[in-house]
Amino acid sequence: MRRVAVALAVELTLPAGLLVTWWFVSADDTSPYWPSLAKIVRAFRESWLFADVRPDLVPSLERIAGGFALGVALGVLGGLAVGMSPWVRRAFEPLLECLRATPVAAILPVSILLLGIGYSQKVLVIAFATTWPVLMNTAEGVRGIDPEVLELASLYRLRRRDRLFRVILPGALPQIFAGLRISLSLSLLAIVFAELYAAHDGLGYFILFAQSTFRIAEMWSGIFVLALFAYVLNLLFGLLERRVLFWHRGFAASALGKPS
């Protein structure tokens, strides 16, 4: 526990130092476009601790959860199919490369045209952004499994289901988590982008509305909320990754001759 506390303190040293510097440098700033950090903190307390949690933050969280879950499901299933079958990979690789290179901004007008600006549209945008890193990493994880392990599973005549859940998925899991981490960041970018241009609520809508009404301190407070949420989400994902992949870290350390 002490080790974790020390690591967290070291991790927060630089952000804390930057905030303290910002506080004193901006204390006498009178520019309407660059409010002092004290004003931003006051706006944060007034907006996000009481008033705007339900109307703006909760909808964004719900959309991220739905879109991320859909994107992960599609990515893992598609990655398994592409990684396990060379013919599927050859047939779908050109299409996958085209879709993966398509930016979220390009599908935003299409998603609005098809689904309006409601919950489903946001979920589609997030799912589109998060599917491809998971799919490609899953496929590469499956392809990277030691052939001797697969041959051993065949010698033991494991059923297809057992081979999938006991050999292929565990072997690809480190790569899958690498894709999940990338997709998690992309889901935050996608929801803010979608809410900036097509929403009646949400974190992105709050930031844009505050900027358009010249409530600059409130705008900065929304950016602070986004940054804090991203940090907490990444921290929780790191804890989950360490718990799920504890065996992989120990195996990698043993392979390098280091203590696990």
Side-chain angles (χ1 to χ4, degrees), residues 154-244:
S154 299
L155 290 176
Y156 278 100
R157 297 182 179 178
L158 291 180
R159 293 179 300 177
R160 181 172 298 181
R161 178 180 178 183
D162 292 333
R163 188 180 302 181
L164 176 62
F165 287 101
R166 296 180 180 272
V167 178
I168 296 177
L169 272 177
L173 207 55
Q175 285 284 93
I176 293 175
F177 265 88
L180 290 176
R181 184 177 289 274
I182 298 172
S183 293
L184 197 61
S185 301
L186 292 177
S187 68
L188 296 177
L189 295 176
I191 187 59
V192 172
F193 185 79
E195 290 176 347
L196 279 175
Y197 294 99
H200 296 304
D201 55 11
L203 188 55
Y205 171 80
F206 175 89
I207 294 173
L208 180 64
F209 182 76
Q211 180 266 335
S212 62
T213 55
F214 296 98
R215 295 157 53 203
I216 307 302
E218 285 79 1
M219 180 196 74
W220 280 102
S221 73
I223 296 174
F224 271 34
V225 170
L226 179 63
L228 289 173
F229 177 67
Y231 173 76
V232 172
L233 201 60
N234 185 70
L235 185 64
L236 294 176
F237 183 84
L239 294 175
L240 176 64
E241 183 181 17
R242 281 194 290 271
R243 180 173 293 273
V244 174

Coordinates of all heavy atoms in Angstrom, one line a residue, residues 154-244:
S154 N -4.1 -29.3 -30.6 CA -4.7 -30.2 -31.5 C -4.3 -31.7 -31.2 O -5.2 -32.6 -31.3 CB -4.1 -29.9 -32.9 OG -4.5 -28.6 -33.4
L155 N -3.1 -31.9 -30.6 CA -2.7 -33.2 -30.2 C -3.6 -33.7 -29.1 O -3.9 -34.9 -29.0 CB -1.3 -33.3 -29.8 CG -0.2 -33.1 -30.9 CD1 1.2 -33.0 -30.4 CD2 -0.4 -34.2 -31.9
Y156 N -4.0 -32.8 -28.2 CA -4.9 -33.2 -27.1 C -6.3 -33.3 -27.5 O -7.2 -33.6 -26.7 CB -4.7 -32.3 -25.9 CG -3.5 -32.6 -25.0 CD1 -2.3 -31.9 -25.2 CD2 -3.6 -33.6 -24.1 CE1 -1.2 -32.2 -24.4 CE2 -2.5 -33.9 -23.3 CZ -1.3 -33.2 -23.5 OH -0.2 -33.5 -22.7
R157 N -6.6 -32.9 -28.8 CA -7.9 -33.0 -29.3 C -8.9 -32.1 -28.5 O -10.0 -32.6 -28.2 CB -8.4 -34.4 -29.4 CG -7.6 -35.3 -30.4 CD -8.1 -36.7 -30.5 NE -7.3 -37.5 -31.4 CZ -7.5 -38.8 -31.7 NH1 -8.5 -39.4 -31.1 NH2 -6.7 -39.4 -32.5
L158 N -8.5 -30.9 -28.2 CA -9.4 -30.0 -27.5 C -10.6 -29.6 -28.4 O -10.4 -29.4 -29.6 CB -8.7 -28.8 -27.1 CG -7.6 -28.9 -26.0 CD1 -7.0 -27.6 -25.6 CD2 -8.2 -29.5 -24.7
R159 N -11.7 -29.6 -27.9 CA -12.9 -29.1 -28.6 C -12.7 -27.7 -29.1 O -11.9 -26.9 -28.4 CB -14.2 -29.2 -27.8 CG -14.6 -30.7 -27.5 CD -15.8 -30.7 -26.7 NE -15.7 -30.0 -25.4 CZ -16.6 -29.9 -24.5 NH1 -17.8 -30.3 -24.8 NH2 -16.4 -29.2 -23.4
R160 N -13.4 -27.2 -30.1 CA -13.2 -25.9 -30.6 C -13.5 -24.8 -29.6 O -12.8 -23.8 -29.5 CB -14.1 -25.7 -31.8 CG -14.0 -24.3 -32.5 CD -14.7 -24.2 -33.8 NE -14.2 -25.2 -34.8 CZ -14.7 -25.3 -36.0 NH1 -15.7 -24.5 -36.4 NH2 -14.2 -26.1 -36.8
R161 N -14.5 -25.1 -28.8 CA -14.9 -24.1 -27.7 C -13.7 -24.0 -26.7 O -13.4 -22.9 -26.3 CB -16.2 -24.6 -27.0 CG -16.6 -23.7 -25.9 CD -17.9 -24.2 -25.3 NE -18.3 -23.3 -24.2 CZ -19.4 -23.6 -23.4 NH1 -20.2 -24.6 -23.7 NH2 -19.7 -22.8 -22.4
D162 N -13.2 -25.2 -26.2 CA -12.1 -25.2 -25.3 C -10.9 -24.5 -25.8 O -10.1 -23.8 -25.1 CB -11.8 -26.6 -24.8 CG -12.9 -27.2 -24.0 OD1 -13.7 -26.4 -23.3 OD2 -13.1 -28.4 -24.0
R163 N -10.6 -24.8 -27.1 CA -9.4 -24.2 -27.7 C -9.5 -22.7 -27.8 O -8.6 -22.0 -27.6 CB -9.3 -24.8 -29.2 CG -8.0 -24.4 -29.8 CD -7.9 -25.0 -31.2 NE -8.0 -26.4 -31.2 CZ -8.0 -27.2 -32.3 NH1 -7.8 -26.6 -33.5 NH2 -8.1 -28.5 -32.2
L164 N -10.8 -22.2 -28.0 CA -11.0 -20.8 -28.1 C -10.8 -20.1 -26.8 O -10.1 -19.1 -26.6 CB -12.4 -20.5 -28.7 CG -12.8 -19.0 -28.7 CD1 -11.9 -18.2 -29.6 CD2 -14.3 -18.9 -29.1
F165 N -11.5 -20.7 -25.7 CA -11.5 -20.0 -24.4 C -10.3 -20.3 -23.5 O -10.0 -19.6 -22.6 CB -12.8 -20.3 -23.7 CG -14.0 -19.7 -24.2 CD1 -14.9 -20.4 -25.1 CD2 -14.3 -18.3 -24.0 CE1 -16.0 -19.8 -25.6 CE2 -15.4 -17.7 -24.5 CZ -16.2 -18.4 -25.3
R166 N -9.6 -21.4 -23.8 CA -8.5 -21.8 -23.0 C -7.1 -21.6 -23.6 O -6.1 -21.6 -22.9 CB -8.6 -23.3 -22.6 CG -9.8 -23.6 -21.7 CD -9.9 -25.1 -21.4 NE -11.0 -25.4 -20.6 CZ -11.1 -25.4 -19.3 NH1 -10.0 -25.0 -18.6 NH2 -12.2 -25.7 -18.6
V167 N -7.1 -21.4 -24.9 CA -5.8 -21.2 -25.6 C -5.7 -19.9 -26.4 O -4.8 -19.1 -26.1 CB -5.5 -22.4 -26.6 CG1 -4.2 -22.2 -27.3 CG2 -5.5 -23.7 -25.8
I168 N -6.7 -19.7 -27.3 CA -6.6 -18.6 -28.2 C -6.9 -17.2 -27.4 O -6.1 -16.3 -27.5 CB -7.6 -18.7 -29.4 CG1 -7.2 -20.0 -30.2 CG2 -7.6 -17.5 -30.2 CD1 -8.1 -20.3 -31.3
L169 N -8.0 -17.2 -26.7 CA -8.3 -15.9 -26.0 C -7.2 -15.5 -25.0 O -6.8 -14.4 -24.9 CB -9.7 -16.0 -25.4 CG -10.8 -15.5 -26.3 CD1 -12.2 -15.7 -25.6 CD2 -10.7 -14.1 -26.8
P170 N -6.8 -16.5 -24.1 CA -5.8 -16.1 -23.1 C -4.5 -15.7 -23.8 O -3.8 -14.8 -23.4 CB -5.6 -17.4 -22.3 CG -6.9 -18.1 -22.4 CD -7.4 -17.8 -23.8
G171 N -4.1 -16.4 -24.9 CA -2.9 -16.0 -25.6 C -3.0 -14.6 -26.3 O -1.9 -13.9 -26.4
A172 N -4.2 -14.2 -26.7 CA -4.3 -12.9 -27.4 C -4.7 -11.8 -26.4 O -4.7 -10.6 -26.8 CB -5.4 -13.0 -28.4
L173 N -4.9 -12.2 -25.1 CA -5.4 -11.2 -24.2 C -4.5 -10.0 -24.0 O -5.0 -8.8 -23.9 CB -5.7 -11.9 -22.8 CG -6.7 -11.2 -21.9 CD1 -8.1 -11.1 -22.7 CD2 -7.0 -12.0 -20.7
P174 N -3.1 -10.1 -23.9 CA -2.3 -8.9 -23.8 C -2.5 -8.0 -24.9 O -2.5 -6.7 -24.7 CB -0.9 -9.5 -23.7 CG -1.0 -10.9 -23.2 CD -2.4 -11.4 -23.7
Q175 N -2.6 -8.5 -26.1 CA -2.8 -7.6 -27.3 C -4.2 -7.0 -27.3 O -4.3 -5.8 -27.6 CB -2.6 -8.4 -28.6 CG -1.2 -8.7 -28.9 CD -0.5 -7.5 -29.5 OE1 0.2 -6.8 -28.8 NE2 -0.6 -7.3 -30.8
I176 N -5.1 -7.7 -26.8 CA -6.5 -7.2 -26.7 C -6.5 -6.0 -25.7 O -7.2 -5.0 -26.0 CB -7.5 -8.3 -26.3 CG1 -7.6 -9.4 -27.4 CG2 -8.9 -7.7 -26.0 CD1 -8.5 -10.5 -27.0
F177 N -5.9 -6.1 -24.6 CA -5.8 -5.0 -23.6 C -5.1 -3.8 -24.2 O -5.4 -2.7 -23.9 CB -5.2 -5.5 -22.3 CG -6.2 -6.0 -21.3 CD1 -6.7 -7.3 -21.3 CD2 -6.8 -5.1 -20.4 CE1 -7.6 -7.7 -20.4 CE2 -7.7 -5.5 -19.5 CZ -8.2 -6.8 -19.5
A178 N -4.1 -4.1 -25.0 CA -3.4 -2.9 -25.7 C -4.4 -2.2 -26.6 O -4.4 -0.9 -26.6 CB -2.2 -3.4 -26.5
G179 N -5.2 -2.9 -27.3 CA -6.2 -2.3 -28.1 C -7.3 -1.6 -27.3 O -7.8 -0.5 -27.7
L180 N -7.7 -2.2 -26.2 CA -8.7 -1.6 -25.3 C -8.2 -0.2 -24.7 O -9.0 0.7 -24.6 CB -9.0 -2.5 -24.1 CG -9.8 -3.8 -24.5 CD1 -9.9 -4.6 -23.2 CD2 -11.1 -3.4 -25.1
R181 N -6.9 -0.2 -24.4 CA -6.4 1.1 -23.9 C -6.4 2.2 -24.9 O -6.8 3.4 -24.6 CB -5.0 0.9 -23.4 CG -4.4 2.1 -22.7 CD -3.0 1.8 -22.2 NE -3.0 1.0 -21.0 CZ -3.2 1.4 -19.8 NH1 -3.4 2.7 -19.5 NH2 -3.2 0.6 -18.8
I182 N -6.1 1.9 -26.1 CA -6.2 2.9 -27.2 C -7.6 3.3 -27.5 O -7.9 4.5 -27.6 CB -5.5 2.3 -28.5 CG1 -4.0 2.0 -28.3 CG2 -5.7 3.3 -29.7 CD1 -3.4 1.3 -29.4
S183 N -8.5 2.3 -27.5 CA -9.9 2.6 -27.7 C -10.5 3.4 -26.7 O -11.5 4.2 -26.9 CB -10.7 1.3 -27.9 OG -10.3 0.6 -29.1
L184 N -10.1 3.2 -25.4 CA -10.6 4.0 -24.3 C -10.4 5.5 -24.5 O -11.3 6.3 -24.3 CB -10.0 3.5 -23.0 CG -10.8 3.9 -21.7 CD1 -12.2 3.4 -21.7 CD2 -10.0 3.4 -20.5
S185 N -9.2 5.8 -24.9 CA -8.9 7.2 -25.2 C -9.7 7.8 -26.4 O -10.2 8.9 -26.4 CB -7.4 7.4 -25.5 OG -6.6 7.0 -24.4
L186 N -9.8 6.9 -27.5 CA -10.6 7.3 -28.6 C -12.0 7.5 -28.3 O -12.7 8.4 -28.9 CB -10.4 6.3 -29.7 CG -9.0 6.2 -30.4 CD1 -9.0 5.0 -31.4 CD2 -8.6 7.5 -31.0
S187 N -12.6 6.8 -27.4 CA -14.0 6.9 -27.0 C -14.2 8.3 -26.4 O -15.3 8.9 -26.6 CB -14.4 5.8 -26.0 OG -13.8 6.0 -24.8
L188 N -13.3 8.8 -25.6 CA -13.4 10.1 -25.0 C -13.4 11.2 -26.1 O -14.1 12.2 -26.1 CB -12.3 10.4 -24.0 CG -12.3 9.5 -22.7 CD1 -11.1 9.8 -21.8 CD2 -13.6 9.7 -22.0
L189 N -12.4 11.1 -27.0 CA -12.3 12.0 -28.1 C -13.6 12.0 -29.0 O -14.1 13.0 -29.4 CB -11.1 11.7 -29.0 CG -9.8 11.8 -28.3 CD1 -8.7 11.4 -29.3 CD2 -9.5 13.3 -27.9
A190 N -14.1 10.8 -29.2 CA -15.3 10.7 -30.1 C -16.5 11.3 -29.4 O -17.3 12.0 -30.1 CB -15.6 9.2 -30.4
I191 N -16.7 11.1 -28.1 CA -18.0 11.6 -27.5 C -17.9 13.1 -27.4 O -18.9 13.8 -27.7 CB -18.2 11.0 -26.1 CG1 -19.5 11.4 -25.5 CG2 -17.1 11.4 -25.1 CD1 -20.7 11.0 -26.4
V192 N -16.7 13.7 -27.1 CA -16.7 15.1 -27.1 C -16.9 15.7 -28.5 O -17.6 16.7 -28.6 CB -15.3 15.6 -26.5 CG1 -15.1 17.1 -26.6 CG2 -15.2 15.2 -25.1
F193 N -16.3 15.1 -29.5 CA -16.5 15.6 -30.8 C -17.9 15.5 -31.3 O -18.5 16.5 -31.9 CB -15.6 14.8 -31.8 CG -15.6 15.3 -33.2 CD1 -14.8 16.4 -33.5 CD2 -16.4 14.7 -34.2 CE1 -14.8 16.9 -34.8 CE2 -16.4 15.2 -35.5 CZ -15.6 16.3 -35.8
A194 N -18.6 14.4 -31.0 CA -20.0 14.2 -31.3 C -20.9 15.2 -30.6 O -21.8 15.8 -31.2 CB -20.4 12.8 -31.1
E195 N -20.6 15.5 -29.3 CA -21.4 16.4 -28.6 C -21.2 17.8 -28.9 O -22.0 18.7 -28.7 CB -21.2 16.1 -27.1 CG -21.8 14.8 -26.6 CD -21.5 14.5 -25.1 OE1 -20.6 15.2 -24.6 OE2 -22.1 13.6 -24.6
L196 N -20.0 18.1 -29.5 CA -19.7 19.5 -29.9 C -20.6 19.9 -31.0 O -21.0 21.1 -31.1 CB -18.3 19.6 -30.3 CG -17.2 19.8 -29.2 CD1 -15.8 19.8 -29.8 CD2 -17.4 21.1 -28.4
Y197 N -21.0 19.0 -31.9 CA -21.7 19.4 -33.1 C -23.1 18.9 -33.2 O -23.9 19.3 -34.1 CB -20.9 18.9 -34.3 CG -19.5 19.6 -34.5 CD1 -18.4 19.0 -34.0 CD2 -19.4 20.8 -35.0 CE1 -17.1 19.6 -34.1 CE2 -18.2 21.5 -35.1 CZ -17.1 20.8 -34.7 OH -15.9 21.5 -34.8
A198 N -23.5 17.9 -32.3 CA -24.8 17.3 -32.5 C -25.3 16.8 -31.2 O -25.3 15.6 -30.9 CB -24.8 16.2 -33.5
A199 N -25.7 17.7 -30.3 CA -26.2 17.3 -29.0 C -27.0 18.4 -28.3 O -26.7 19.6 -28.6 CB -25.1 16.8 -28.1
H200 N -27.8 18.1 -27.4 CA -28.5 19.0 -26.6 C -28.0 19.0 -25.1 O -28.5 19.8 -24.3 CB -30.0 18.8 -26.6 CG -30.6 19.0 -27.9 ND1 -30.5 20.1 -28.6 CD2 -31.4 18.1 -28.7 CE1 -31.2 20.0 -29.8 NE2 -31.7 18.8 -29.9
D201 N -27.2 18.0 -24.8 CA -26.6 17.9 -23.5 C -25.3 17.2 -23.6 O -24.9 16.8 -24.7 CB -27.5 17.2 -22.5 CG -28.0 15.8 -23.0 OD1 -27.4 15.4 -24.0 OD2 -28.9 15.3 -22.4
G202 N -24.6 17.0 -22.5 CA -23.3 16.3 -22.5 C -22.2 17.2 -22.3 O -22.3 18.5 -22.3
L203 N -21.0 16.6 -22.0 CA -19.8 17.4 -21.7 C -19.3 18.3 -22.9 O -19.0 19.4 -22.7 CB -18.7 16.4 -21.3 CG -17.4 17.1 -20.7 CD1 -17.7 18.0 -19.5 CD2 -16.5 15.9 -20.3
G204 N -19.3 17.7 -24.1 CA -18.9 18.5 -25.2 C -19.9 19.6 -25.5 O -19.4 20.8 -25.8
Y205 N -21.2 19.4 -25.3 CA -22.2 20.5 -25.5 C -21.9 21.6 -24.5 O -22.0 22.8 -24.8 CB -23.6 19.9 -25.4 CG -24.7 20.9 -25.3 CD1 -25.1 21.5 -26.5 CD2 -25.2 21.3 -24.1 CE1 -26.1 22.5 -26.5 CE2 -26.2 22.3 -24.1 CZ -26.7 22.9 -25.2 OH -27.6 23.8 -25.2
F206 N -21.7 21.2 -23.2 CA -21.4 22.2 -22.2 C -20.2 23.1 -22.5 O -20.3 24.3 -22.4 CB -21.2 21.5 -20.9 CG -20.8 22.4 -19.7 CD1 -21.8 23.0 -18.9 CD2 -19.5 22.7 -19.5 CE1 -21.5 23.9 -17.9 CE2 -19.2 23.6 -18.4 CZ -20.2 24.2 -17.7
I207 N -19.1 22.5 -23.0 CA -17.9 23.3 -23.3 C -18.2 24.2 -24.5 O -17.9 25.4 -24.4 CB -16.8 22.3 -23.7 CG1 -16.4 21.5 -22.5 CG2 -15.6 23.1 -24.2 CD1 -15.3 20.4 -22.8
L208 N -18.9 23.8 -25.5 CA -19.2 24.6 -26.7 C -20.2 25.7 -26.3 O -20.0 26.9 -26.7 CB -19.8 23.8 -27.8 CG -20.1 24.5 -29.1 CD1 -18.9 25.1 -29.7 CD2 -20.9 23.6 -30.1
F209 N -21.2 25.4 -25.5 CA -22.2 26.4 -25.1 C -21.6 27.4 -24.2 O -21.9 28.7 -24.4 CB -23.4 25.7 -24.4 CG -24.5 26.6 -24.0 CD1 -25.4 27.1 -24.9 CD2 -24.6 27.1 -22.7 CE1 -26.4 28.0 -24.6 CE2 -25.6 27.9 -22.3 CZ -26.5 28.4 -23.3
A210 N -20.7 27.0 -23.3 CA -20.0 28.0 -22.4 C -19.1 28.9 -23.3 O -19.1 30.2 -23.0 CB -19.2 27.3 -21.4
Q211 N -18.5 28.4 -24.3 CA -17.6 29.2 -25.1 C -18.4 30.2 -25.9 O -18.1 31.4 -26.1 CB -16.8 28.3 -26.0 CG -15.8 29.1 -26.9 CD -16.4 29.3 -28.3 OE1 -17.3 28.6 -28.7 NE2 -16.0 30.4 -29.0
S212 N -19.5 29.7 -26.5 CA -20.4 30.6 -27.4 C -21.1 31.7 -26.6 O -21.5 32.7 -27.2 CB -21.4 29.7 -28.1 OG -22.3 29.1 -27.2
T213 N -21.3 31.5 -25.3 CA -21.9 32.5 -24.5 C -20.9 33.3 -23.6 O -21.3 34.0 -22.7 CB -23.0 31.8 -23.5 OG1 -22.3 30.8 -22.8 CG2 -24.1 31.3 -24.3
F214 N -19.6 33.1 -24.0 CA -18.5 33.9 -23.4 C -18.4 33.6 -21.8 O -18.0 34.5 -21.1 CB -18.7 35.4 -23.6 CG -18.6 35.8 -25.1 CD1 -19.7 35.9 -25.8 CD2 -17.4 35.9 -25.7 CE1 -19.7 36.3 -27.2 CE2 -17.3 36.2 -27.0 CZ -18.4 36.4 -27.8
R215 N -18.8 32.4 -21.4 CA -18.6 32.0 -20.0 C -17.3 31.2 -20.0 O -17.3 30.0 -20.0 CB -19.7 31.2 -19.5 CG -21.0 32.0 -19.4 CD -22.3 31.1 -19.5 NE -22.2 30.0 -18.5 CZ -22.9 28.8 -18.6 NH1 -23.6 28.6 -19.7 NH2 -22.8 27.9 -17.7
I216 N -16.2 31.9 -20.2 CA -14.9 31.3 -20.4 C -14.4 30.4 -19.2 O -13.9 29.3 -19.4 CB -13.8 32.3 -20.8 CG1 -14.3 33.2 -21.9 CG2 -12.5 31.7 -21.1 CD1 -14.7 32.4 -23.2
A217 N -14.7 30.9 -18.0 CA -14.3 30.1 -16.8 C -15.0 28.8 -16.8 O -14.4 27.7 -16.5 CB -14.5 30.9 -15.6
E218 N -16.3 28.8 -17.1 CA -17.1 27.6 -17.2 C -16.6 26.7 -18.3 O -16.6 25.4 -18.1 CB -18.6 27.9 -17.4 CG -19.3 28.4 -16.2 CD -19.0 29.9 -15.9 OE1 -18.3 30.5 -16.7 OE2 -19.6 30.5 -15.0
M219 N -16.2 27.2 -19.4 CA -15.6 26.4 -20.5 C -14.4 25.7 -20.0 O -14.2 24.5 -20.2 CB -15.3 27.3 -21.7 CG -14.7 26.6 -22.9 SD -13.8 27.7 -24.1 CE -12.3 28.1 -23.1
W220 N -13.5 26.4 -19.3 CA -12.3 25.8 -18.8 C -12.6 24.7 -17.7 O -11.9 23.7 -17.6 CB -11.3 26.8 -18.2 CG -10.5 27.6 -19.2 CD1 -10.7 28.8 -19.7 CD2 -9.3 27.0 -19.9 NE1 -9.8 29.1 -20.6 CE2 -8.9 28.1 -20.8 CE3 -8.6 25.9 -19.8 CZ2 -7.8 27.9 -21.6 CZ3 -7.5 25.7 -20.6 CH2 -7.1 26.7 -21.5
S221 N -13.6 25.0 -17.0 CA -14.0 24.0 -16.0 C -14.5 22.7 -16.6 O -14.2 21.6 -16.1 CB -15.1 24.5 -15.1 OG -16.4 24.6 -15.7
G222 N -15.2 22.8 -17.8 CA -15.6 21.6 -18.5 C -14.4 20.8 -19.0 O -14.3 19.6 -19.0
I223 N -13.3 21.6 -19.5 CA -12.1 20.9 -19.9 C -11.4 20.2 -18.8 O -10.9 19.1 -18.9 CB -11.2 21.9 -20.6 CG1 -11.9 22.5 -21.9 CG2 -9.8 21.3 -20.9 CD1 -11.1 23.7 -22.5
F224 N -11.5 20.8 -17.6 CA -10.9 20.2 -16.4 C -11.6 18.9 -16.1 O -11.0 17.9 -15.7 CB -11.0 21.2 -15.2 CG -9.8 22.1 -15.1 CD1 -9.1 22.5 -16.2 CD2 -9.3 22.5 -13.9 CE1 -8.0 23.4 -16.1 CE2 -8.2 23.3 -13.8 CZ -7.6 23.8 -14.9
V225 N -12.9 18.9 -16.2 CA -13.7 17.7 -15.9 C -13.3 16.6 -16.9 O -13.1 15.4 -16.5 CB -15.2 18.0 -16.0 CG1 -16.0 16.7 -16.0 CG2 -15.7 18.9 -14.9
L226 N -13.2 16.9 -18.1 CA -12.8 15.9 -19.1 C -11.4 15.4 -18.8 O -11.2 14.1 -18.9 CB -12.8 16.6 -20.5 CG -12.3 15.7 -21.7 CD1 -13.3 14.5 -21.8 CD2 -12.3 16.5 -23.0
A227 N -10.4 16.2 -18.4 CA -9.1 15.8 -18.1 C -9.1 14.9 -16.8 O -8.4 13.8 -16.8 CB -8.2 17.0 -17.9
L228 N -9.8 15.3 -15.8 CA -9.9 14.5 -14.6 C -10.6 13.1 -14.9 O -10.1 12.1 -14.4 CB -10.7 15.2 -13.5 CG -10.0 16.4 -12.9 CD1 -10.9 17.2 -12.0 CD2 -8.8 16.0 -12.1
F229 N -11.6 13.1 -15.6 CA -12.3 11.9 -16.0 C -11.4 11.0 -16.7 O -11.4 9.7 -16.5 CB -13.6 12.2 -16.7 CG -14.3 10.9 -17.2 CD1 -14.9 10.1 -16.2 CD2 -14.4 10.6 -18.5 CE1 -15.6 9.0 -16.6 CE2 -15.1 9.5 -18.9 CZ -15.7 8.7 -18.0
A230 N -10.7 11.5 -17.7 CA -9.8 10.7 -18.5 C -8.7 10.1 -17.6 O -8.3 8.9 -17.8 CB -9.1 11.5 -19.6
Y231 N -8.2 10.8 -16.6 CA -7.1 10.3 -15.8 C -7.7 9.2 -14.9 O -7.0 8.2 -14.7 CB -6.6 11.5 -14.9 CG -5.6 11.0 -13.8 CD1 -4.3 10.6 -14.2 CD2 -6.0 10.9 -12.5 CE1 -3.4 10.2 -13.2 CE2 -5.1 10.4 -11.5 CZ -3.8 10.1 -11.9 OH -3.0 9.6 -11.0
V232 N -8.8 9.4 -14.3 CA -9.4 8.4 -13.4 C -9.8 7.1 -14.2 O -9.5 6.0 -13.7 CB -10.7 9.0 -12.7 CG1 -11.4 7.9 -11.9 CG2 -10.3 10.1 -11.8
L233 N -10.3 7.3 -15.4 CA -10.6 6.2 -16.2 C -9.4 5.4 -16.6 O -9.4 4.1 -16.5 CB -11.4 6.6 -17.5 CG -12.2 5.6 -18.2 CD1 -13.3 5.1 -17.3 CD2 -12.8 6.3 -19.5
N234 N -8.3 6.1 -16.9 CA -7.1 5.4 -17.3 C -6.5 4.7 -16.0 O -6.0 3.6 -16.1 CB -6.1 6.4 -17.8 CG -4.8 5.7 -18.3 OD1 -4.8 5.0 -19.3 ND2 -3.7 5.9 -17.6
L235 N -6.6 5.3 -14.9 CA -6.1 4.7 -13.6 C -6.9 3.4 -13.3 O -6.3 2.4 -13.0 CB -6.3 5.7 -12.5 CG -5.7 5.2 -11.1 CD1 -4.2 5.1 -11.2 CD2 -6.0 6.3 -10.1
L236 N -8.2 3.4 -13.4 CA -9.0 2.3 -13.2 C -8.8 1.2 -14.2 O -8.7 0.0 -13.8 CB -10.5 2.6 -13.2 CG -11.0 3.6 -12.1 CD1 -12.5 3.9 -12.3 CD2 -10.8 2.9 -10.7
F237 N -8.6 1.5 -15.4 CA -8.2 0.5 -16.5 C -6.9 -0.1 -16.2 O -6.7 -1.3 -16.4 CB -8.2 1.2 -17.8 CG -8.0 0.2 -19.0 CD1 -9.1 -0.5 -19.5 CD2 -6.7 0.0 -19.5 CE1 -8.8 -1.4 -20.5 CE2 -6.5 -0.9 -20.5 CZ -7.6 -1.6 -21.0
G238 N -5.9 0.7 -15.7 CA -4.6 0.1 -15.4 C -4.7 -0.9 -14.3 O -4.1 -2.0 -14.3
L239 N -5.5 -0.6 -13.3 CA -5.7 -1.6 -12.2 C -6.4 -2.9 -12.7 O -6.0 -4.0 -12.3 CB -6.6 -0.9 -11.1 CG -6.0 0.3 -10.3 CD1 -7.0 0.9 -9.4 CD2 -4.7 -0.2 -9.6
L240 N -7.4 -2.7 -13.5 CA -8.0 -3.9 -14.1 C -7.1 -4.7 -15.0 O -7.0 -5.9 -14.9 CB -9.2 -3.4 -15.0 CG -10.0 -4.6 -15.7 CD1 -10.6 -5.5 -14.8 CD2 -11.0 -4.0 -16.7
E241 N -6.2 -4.0 -15.7 CA -5.3 -4.7 -16.6 C -4.3 -5.5 -15.8 O -3.9 -6.6 -16.1 CB -4.6 -3.7 -17.5 CG -3.6 -4.3 -18.5 CD -2.9 -3.3 -19.3 OE1 -2.9 -2.1 -18.9 OE2 -2.3 -3.7 -20.4
R242 N -3.8 -4.9 -14.7 CA -2.8 -5.6 -13.8 C -3.4 -6.8 -13.2 O -2.8 -7.8 -13.0 CB -2.3 -4.6 -12.8 CG -1.2 -3.7 -13.3 CD -0.4 -3.0 -12.2 NE -1.3 -2.0 -11.5 CZ -1.4 -0.8 -11.9 NH1 -0.7 -0.3 -13.0 NH2 -2.1 0.1 -11.2
R243 N -4.7 -6.7 -12.8 CA -5.4 -7.8 -12.1 C -5.6 -9.0 -13.1 O -5.4 -10.1 -12.8 CB -6.7 -7.4 -11.5 CG -7.4 -8.5 -10.8 CD -8.6 -7.9 -10.0 NE -8.2 -7.1 -8.9 CZ -7.9 -7.6 -7.7 NH1 -8.0 -8.9 -7.5 NH2 -7.6 -6.7 -6.7
V244 N -6.1 -8.6 -14.3 CA -6.4 -9.6 -15.3 C -5.2 -10.3 -15.9 O -5.1 -11.5 -16.1 CB -7.3 -9.1 -16.4 CG1 -7.5 -10.1 -17.5 CG2 -8.6 -8.6 -15.8

